[in-house]
Amino acid sequence: MRTFSLLKGMPVYDRNGEMLGEVCDICIGDEGMVTDLLLQMKGFIGKKLRVPVQSVSSFGEDGIMVDSNGQFSIYQELDDEYTMHHGRPLAKKNTMTPQGEQLGLLDDVYFLEKEGTIVGYELTDGFFSDITEGKRIIRTLDPPSIGKDAIIVSAINQRGVSTHDEMSELSKQGPW
């Protein structure tokens, strides 16, 4: 399980040892799955490369390895996908339950590397709240409903609301 914040800035190499670029964002489909890594290409100012999650052969501590024959393409915004910071950004978007309870602003996502399935969301209520109370993490099994103004998620468990720390349990559990 990974978070976008852990991947951001991580170098991506092909099997020949050539660095393709560094992760600058992730692409998330309408169904709430991470579909692609978005790389800032080395040597090209402003050019971004789209690398499908299925092309990743391993996520390491210091770098990501991809298959040399992967279907890489230059990034272009698509109408049916979101990103954390580019195109149609999800970061800092209001997150709510189907019952209308506001959970916070989306700060990060937890996803399974190989499948791209998002299994949790890290939420913030702002800088001062994060310092005093900490960020909240919710776990979900259902895909989100992503709208223009809010993300609707069915929260299973929440960390940060009570004294129960689910994050340590989240990282120990698997497979999802």
Side-chain angles (χ1 to χ4, degrees), residues 4 24-28 82-86 88-92 106-109:
F4 165 65
C24 65
D25 213 333
I26 54 176
C27 298
I28 300 170
Y82 300 86
T83 61
M84 288 300 286
H85 299 287
H86 296 81
R88 296 170 63 195
L90 292 178
K92 306 305 179 213
L106 181 65
D107 197 49
D108 207 350
V109 293

Side-chain angles (χ1 to χ4, degrees), residues 121-134:
Y121 301 89
E122 187 173 276
L123 307 173
T124 180
D125 287 326
F127 177 74
F128 293 111
S129 179
D130 290 349
I131 290 173
T132 58
E133 299 173 24

Side-chain angles (χ1 to χ4, degrees), residues 21 29 63 109 115 129 137 149:
V109 293
E115 299 87 13
S129 179
I137 298 167
D149 299 315

Side-chain angles (χ1 to χ4, degrees), residues 63-115:
I64 299 170
M65 300 299 290
V66 296
D67 294 327
S68 299
N69 58 356
Q71 300 295 320
F72 312 140
S73 61
I74 300 298
Y75 171 70
Q76 292 181 346
E77 251 182 75
L78 300 177
D79 290 337
D80 62 343
E81 79 176 0
Y82 300 86
T83 61
M84 288 300 286
H85 299 287
H86 296 81
R88 296 170 63 195
L90 292 178
K92 306 305 179 213
K93 191 171 250 198
N94 192 20
T95 307
M96 302 183 74
T97 67
Q99 294 76 30
E101 177 189 352
Q102 184 169 340
L103 298 171
L105 303 176
L106 181 65
D107 197 49
D108 207 350
V109 293
Y110 291 79
F111 66 98
L112 301 175
E113 296 100 334
K114 284 296 182 185
E115 299 87 13

Side-chain angles (χ1 to χ4, degrees), residues 141-160:
L141 296 176
D142 299 325
S145 176
I146 304 171
K148 179 182 169 212
D149 299 315
I151 303 168
I152 311 299
V153 296
S154 298
I156 295 173
N157 291 323
Q158 298 183 32
R159 182 194 71 81

Side-chain angles (χ1 to χ4, degrees), residues 1-2 110-113 115 117-120 137-141 156-157 166-167 169-176:
M1 180 173 49
R2 296 281 173 150
Y110 291 79
F111 66 98
L112 301 175
E113 296 100 334
E115 299 87 13
T117 305
I118 296 176
V119 294
I137 298 167
I138 60 168
R139 190 174 118 194
T140 183
L141 296 176
I156 295 173
N157 291 323
E166 184 184 333
M167 193 53 228
E169 289 179 29
L170 263 176
S171 60
K172 291 178 189 174
Q173 290 179 1
W176 287 65

Side-chain angles (χ1 to χ4, degrees), residues 13-19 65-69:
Y13 301 91
D14 68 11
R15 284 288 177 194
N16 299 323
E18 181 180 341
M19 185 173 133
M65 300 299 290
V66 296
D67 294 327
S68 299
N69 58 356

